[in-house]
Amino acid sequence: MKQLRIRTLAGVFVIAGVLSWAGARLWNAVGTLPRVPLAAPIVLALIAVVLMATALSLRARLKAQRERHPGASGVDPLVAARAVVFGQASALVAALVTGMYGGTGVFLLESLDVPARRDQAIYAGFSVLAGVAVIAAAFFLERVCKLPEDDDHNGGTAPVS
């Protein structure tokens, strides 16, 4: 399984942001701009909380297993792999959604004097912060579930694929 790359997530974020900004400008010229939902930052924050809770739970279980605590329940490798896949998928979607709300928020900054647009810009800003929290939690979950390098088996000479 490949690790998340910040470069990939940043690329998705920038492309989505630019397209969203351009789309918001075009949509505003043609008609009314769609609203940024109030639920967007709430849902993203809930996903970040679930990812963080999963990471902390797995970290505690792995630590107890490593230290051979009596009665420690081990971590099934398939459960850890599924958690990492969930984290990676969440990070990619969060990068896309964060870019979209970021681009829309930048467009909305031009008209903060209108109360409705100001509220929409605030919702977009909170969505961006919650999206960054999802990405950070996904990286933490991936770090928790990462296996240590096995240099003894290869003698340290074979490349890791």
Side-chain angles (χ1 to χ4, degrees), residues 59-130:
R59 185 176 74 167
R61 289 173 56 193
L62 287 169
K63 181 180 178 187
Q65 185 179 5
R66 251 191 330 269
E67 295 174 355
R68 300 180 192 263
H69 288 285
S73 63
V75 176
D76 183 22
L78 193 55
V79 169
R82 286 179 181 162
V84 170
V85 168
F86 172 62
Q88 288 180 345
S90 297
L92 286 169
V93 170
L96 178 69
V97 170
T98 302
M100 287 173 36
Y101 287 129
T104 303
V106 167
F107 171 75
L108 290 170
L109 288 176
E110 298 171 2
S111 56
L112 287 178
D113 52 337
V114 179
R117 293 277 174 112
R118 183 175 47 247
D119 291 344
Q120 295 300 303
I122 290 170
Y123 297 158
F126 281 134
S127 296
V128 169
L129 291 175

Side-chain angles (χ1 to χ4, degrees), residues 4 6 9 13 39-55 83-99 101 125-143:
L4 280 175
I6 198 76
L9 296 176
F13 171 79
I42 296 169
V43 170
L44 287 169
L46 285 174
I47 293 171
V49 167
V50 168
L51 286 172
M52 189 57 76
T54 302
V84 170
V85 168
F86 172 62
Q88 288 180 345
S90 297
L92 286 169
V93 170
L96 178 69
V97 170
T98 302
Y101 287 129
F126 281 134
S127 296
V128 169
L129 291 175
V132 170
V134 169
I135 293 169
F139 272 110
F140 180 65
L141 175 62
E142 187 177 65
R143 183 175 167 270

Side-chain angles (χ1 to χ4, degrees), residues 23-34 107 117:
R25 288 182 57 88
L26 179 65
W27 201 312
N28 192 51
V30 173
T32 60
L33 186 67
F107 171 75
R117 293 277 174 112

Side-chain angles (χ1 to χ4, degrees), residues 1-26:
M1 183 178 310
K2 293 187 178 186
Q3 290 184 337
L4 280 175
R5 293 182 184 231
I6 198 76
R7 190 176 318 147
T8 303
L9 296 176
V12 169
F13 171 79
V14 168
I15 290 170
V18 168
L19 290 175
S20 178
W21 175 79
R25 288 182 57 88
L26 179 65

